[in-house]
Amino acid sequence: SVRKYLRQFLTDGRVIPINPVLRYLLVNLIIAPFRAGKSFKLYRKLWTEEGSPLLVNGKKLKEKLQRSLNENYEVLLAMNYGNPALTDILKDIKAKPFNKIIVVPLFPQYASSTTGSVIEKTLKTIRNWNNIPEIKIIGAFYNNQGFIQAFSEKISQAGITENVHVLFSFHGLPVKQVCQSHPESSCEEKKCIHGINPDNHFCYQAACYETASLIARNTGIPQNKYTICFQSRFSSNWLNPFTEDIIVQKAKEGIKKLVVVCPSFVADCLETLVEVGHEYH
């Protein structure tokens, strides 16, 4: 099942945007066969008696959202790769007389390989329906006040004192993929490390910096007390600075305590529980 998940994920053209034939060979002959065993061991570390934390937390989110909405809404949980599968959930929706569908990809910062992939698969499936209801898509929510406040409260619970440094660790992406949101200019030219502006509002890196800045201001963390970095890299050509390098750097600077915040995730998963909770720790 791990190998199947890897194949589903990595054969998505938005995840590995290269020639389809080369992508197929890369995934099926190199990545899936060699990474499946390693991934299986990692998933065993995070598994609970209830199952996958991502699925368990996803179900709790669904249930709480359902309770907060009135009976005119039905909240459904779907996954782009895994179960409950997005295509299966859309089949269930098709069979019911809904007059509106609100799609909320649970990725705070927009990226073509995450939010874009969900939107693409959803619209590709729905376009073949005979009756297409009104569709609303929530493309990003990195600056939503409720989202910012939720992370601020979590950080405050960790105890921010004078001797604590905060790392905002976002999921990394290839630099080339990030720059495709503004192909005529680099992130440096668009000033993406200073946050969102009219010229880079689709840029993943700019959204990450904007997220960290908003959370820091809302929590009262001074600029010299936090660092923005990126985790889960596959190569040196991914967004940097890399989280593991910053951890070493801060230790050399004499920092005794780090609080690592992961605002590109809305639920615990492999990248939070294992990568940050075990490997980085």
Side-chain angles (χ1 to χ4, degrees), residues 4 9 15 17 45 62 69 105 114 118 123-126 137 144 150 159 161 165 174-175 186 195-196 212 229 234 242:
K4 180 181 178 182
F9 173 65
V15 176
K45 286 185 178 181
K62 167 193 166 183
L69 296 172
T114 53
V118 172
L123 296 181
K124 186 177 180 180
T125 302
I126 290 176
I137 297 171
N144 177 275
T161 62
H165 193 84
V175 173
S186 67
I196 294 291
C229 44
F234 270 69
F242 303 128

Side-chain angles (χ1 to χ4, degrees), residues 66-101:
Q66 183 67 71
R67 288 200 295 269
S68 71
L69 296 172
N70 62 44
E71 60 185 14
N72 292 326
Y73 291 85
E74 181 174 346
V75 182
L76 300 166
L77 175 68
M79 294 191 178
N80 212 12
Y81 315 101
N83 291 308
L86 175 59
T87 49
D88 291 339
I89 295 299
L90 287 172
K91 287 180 183 177
D92 294 340
I93 291 174
K94 181 183 178 182
K96 297 180 180 181
F98 293 120
N99 55 30
K100 184 177 183 179
I101 301 172

Side-chain angles (χ1 to χ4, degrees), residues 35-245:
R35 289 186 63 89
K38 181 181 179 182
S39 296
F40 176 74
K41 292 178 182 178
L42 294 177
Y43 277 110
R44 287 186 65 180
K45 286 185 178 181
L46 63 83
W47 220 255
T48 70
E49 292 182 359
E50 296 175 284
S52 161
L54 183 62
L55 181 58
V56 171
N57 291 328
K59 288 179 177 178
K60 289 179 180 178
L61 173 61
K62 167 193 166 183
E63 291 166 2
K64 289 184 177 182
L65 182 58
Q66 183 67 71
R67 288 200 295 269
S68 71
L69 296 172
N70 62 44
E71 60 185 14
N72 292 326
Y73 291 85
E74 181 174 346
V75 182
L76 300 166
L77 175 68
M79 294 191 178
N80 212 12
Y81 315 101
N83 291 308
L86 175 59
T87 49
D88 291 339
I89 295 299
L90 287 172
K91 287 180 183 177
D92 294 340
I93 291 174
K94 181 183 178 182
K96 297 180 180 181
F98 293 120
N99 55 30
K100 184 177 183 179
I101 301 172
I102 302 173
V103 184
V104 189
L106 293 177
F107 308 101
Q109 302 81 22
Y110 177 90
S112 62
S113 57
T114 53
T115 305
S117 181
V118 172
I119 295 172
E120 181 180 50
K121 183 179 288 187
T122 300
L123 296 181
K124 186 177 180 180
T125 302
I126 290 176
R127 73 181 183 184
N128 295 316
W129 293 3
N130 185 50
N131 300 316
I132 300 177
E134 177 186 352
I135 300 171
K136 180 179 180 180
I137 297 171
I138 309 299
F141 52 92
Y142 64 87
N143 57 354
N144 177 275
Q145 184 55 42
F147 170 73
I148 298 301
Q149 183 61 31
F151 267 91
S152 297
E153 291 175 4
K154 284 290 185 182
I155 294 171
S156 297
Q157 291 169 14
I160 304 300
T161 62
E162 183 66 25
N163 298 320
V164 173
H165 193 84
V166 177
L167 298 187
F168 288 102
S169 183
F170 295 87
H171 197 289
L173 288 175
V175 173
K176 183 178 180 180
Q177 179 182 323
V178 172
C179 288
Q180 286 176 349
S181 64
H182 42 73
E184 75 286 355
S185 304
S186 67
C187 278
E188 183 177 358
E189 292 171 312
K190 293 293 185 181
K191 297 180 172 56
C192 296
I193 64 169
H194 298 294
I196 294 291
N197 62 56
D199 295 326
N200 65 13
H201 63 278
F202 271 115
C203 180
Y204 176 78
Q205 181 172 216
C208 290
Y209 275 83
E210 186 77 13
T211 302
S213 177
L214 290 171
I215 295 174
R217 287 204 299 269
N218 196 65
T219 316
I221 304 171
Q223 195 165 1
N224 65 336
K225 290 294 183 181
Y226 72 87
T227 302
I228 299 165
C229 44
F230 298 88
Q231 62 184 81
S232 310
R233 63 179 169 124
F234 270 69
S235 77
S236 60
N237 295 321
W238 283 44
L239 289 175
N240 61 79
F242 303 128
T243 304
E244 63 264 39
D245 294 343

